Amino acid sequence: QVQLVESGGGLVQAGASLRLSCVASGRTFSTYAMGWFRQAPGKEREFVAAQKWARGSIYYTYYDDSVRGRFTISRDNAKNTVLLQMNSLKPEDTAVYYCAADPKGRGTRWDYEYDYWGQGTQVTVSS
């Protein structure tokens, strides 16, 4: 069983930055694919970013077009933590952000391939 705990959300103005953190339990965290998803009011959950292990210390990262160039996913395996650095935030980034883990390491944009989810953290961007 993997437990995920997110933190770092908040209320900011457009153009500001936030960094979300997700701490995971589990002894093989370094090989998990980790993803960030978000869900805005009245909308379906959508993919934001993912990172999958390739080999050694190399990871591949993937972003949705809506956040590419503004958001960065990274991880600290020593702390079992995955981060989402969000810059140049826009009002349309307002959503509950979820961290997800895929122990099989697939790292896709499809939420049904992630087995474990955090409780979510609210990000609100005002105009």
Side-chain angles (χ1 to χ4, degrees), residues 1-18:
Q1 188 74 12
V2 177
Q3 293 185 327
L4 305 173
V5 179
E6 302 109 330
S7 62
L11 170 62
V12 297
Q13 291 188 329
S17 298
L18 278 175

Side-chain angles (χ1 to χ4, degrees), residues 19 21-24 29-30 34 51 59 73-83:
R19 188 176 73 167
S21 297
C22 173
V23 180
F29 172 80
S30 63
M34 299 298 297
Q51 190 174 65
Y59 290 84
I73 185 172
S74 62
R75 68 171 66 197
D76 183 342
N77 290 331
K79 298 180 179 179
N80 275 19
T81 298
V82 61
L83 304 172

